[in-house]
Amino acid sequence: MARRKRPSLAVWKFASCDGCQLTVLDMEDELLALADAMRFAYFAEATSTALKGPYDVSLVDGSITTPADAERIREVRRVSRYMVSIGACATAGGIQALRNFRDVREFLSTVYAKPEYIETLATSTAIADHVPVDFELRGCPIDKRQLLEVLSAFLNGRRPNIPAHSVCVECKLRGNVCVMVTGTPCLGPVTHAGCGALCPTYHRGCYGCFGPMEVPNTPSLARAFQAAGCSETELVRSFRNFNANAPAFREESERHDE
């Protein structure tokens, strides 16, 4: 019996720590089922096989930080039927987007003996800032269950069913006592669900790894932080983390950055 034609999957790396690509490999048993359903046509982290496109689905990890990256992502978009940006770097610029708030030329002269040899952009930006994407999967790193849902949705021609609520809902589902009630600053009320409320479960405030939820009320949360004794500097640091350049977090941090 002839083997069915499997959709092709490509995984691309830009500026990132590779954590989201490792999440793909860490799917373990599910990875075998995925490999049976889709053909890994390009995935440098996992295999030396590099089949030519076009590709049915491209997963893009990492932010755009160099002129070469800005050019390469347009080529990846051209050869991809569907493109999904995965992780905080690809959806919001990542931790490296902290450069966006300062003069990158000053960094270059401080770090490198010969900064004139370094080709870089002044900013670290999301994939969607450069090309159209079909879906953004948040997280630092992404959650493997959400990734499986996204790939299953594309295989079956439907929209991914990724919850839009905040981490607070996940805390309620786990029966956690709210850490803010005990005086711990927490970004959970404005952060997209996906981690299973990992940090609050262990009595720590949410760091916002999954970026802003769909309608975050960041001014209200900032007032709650101030009422708990947070300084303006601490507020800025809270919103400038893994998703510092996500619009809602960036705008709130700028309101407190003197």
Side-chain angles (χ1 to χ4, degrees):
M1 182 180 296
R3 183 176 177 85
R4 72 188 189 283
K5 183 178 180 180
R6 294 172 295 166
S8 57
L9 175 68
V11 183
W12 307 90
K13 172 184 167 56
F14 287 82
S16 72
C17 70
D18 288 27
C20 291
Q21 293 179 78
L22 290 175
T23 299
V24 179
L25 297 175
D26 286 344
M27 288 193 292
E28 298 176 342
D29 292 344
E30 294 91 344
L31 184 61
L32 297 177
L34 179 62
D36 185 62
M38 305 187 77
R39 175 168 53 102
F40 282 88
Y42 181 85
F43 189 1
E45 183 104 354
T47 176
S48 59
T49 298
L51 303 179
K52 291 184 178 180
Y55 308 99
D56 292 298
V57 179
S58 278
L59 302 179
V60 181
D61 169 38
S63 64
I64 304 302
T65 60
T66 69
D69 283 349
E71 182 177 345
R72 186 163 69 99
I73 191 59
R74 290 192 289 271
E75 175 60 19
V76 172
R77 175 70 269 188
R78 188 185 69 79
V79 297
S80 304
R81 182 182 179 192
Y82 295 110
M83 176 179 283
V84 179
S85 54
I86 60 172
C89 295
T91 60
I95 194 74
Q96 58 270 30
L98 290 173
R99 73 200 297 185
N100 300 3
F101 301 95
R102 295 294 184 264
D103 184 354
V104 74
R105 291 172 297 181
E106 181 182 347
F107 293 155
L108 289 176
S109 62
T110 301
V111 175
Y112 298 100
K114 297 287 186 179
E116 62 269 23
Y117 293 113
I118 305 298
E119 291 189 10
T120 188
L121 298 173
T123 57
S124 172
T125 47
I127 300 301
D129 291 333
H130 298 266
V131 295
V133 300
D134 297 289
F135 195 80
E136 292 183 314
L137 186 62
R138 303 181 184 279
C140 186
I142 55 174
D143 176 74
K144 75 172 189 178
R145 293 161 299 182
Q146 289 192 347
L147 176 60
L148 285 168
E149 163 59 22
V150 169
L151 292 175
S152 175
F154 280 102
L155 281 170
N156 292 282
R158 60 176 176 82
R159 185 74 177 170
N161 183 21
I162 301 298
H165 54 247
S166 71
V167 171
C168 289
V169 174
E170 294 184 312
C171 268
K172 294 296 184 183
L173 291 172
R174 296 192 66 158
N176 293 341
V177 174
C178 178
V179 296
M180 289 193 68
V181 171
T182 63
T184 301
C186 178
L187 290 176
V190 296
T191 297
H192 200 286
C195 65
L198 180 62
C199 290
T201 297
Y202 291 94
H203 314 296
R204 302 186 69 172
C206 170
Y207 292 96
C209 299
F210 277 68
M213 60 177 294
E214 288 192 357
V215 284
N217 190 346
T218 53
S220 178
L221 184 65
R223 289 192 294 271
F225 277 28
Q226 290 169 323
C230 284
S231 66
E232 293 293 275
T233 299
E234 289 170 326
L235 268 173
V236 171
R237 288 178 178 173
S238 294
F239 286 103
R240 289 185 185 172
N241 210 313
F242 307 103
N243 289 274
N245 202 48
F249 286 4
R250 183 185 67 241
E251 291 164 10
E252 190 59 40
S253 74
E254 288 174 339
R255 278 193 280 268
H256 303 276
D257 188 14
E258 298 179 354

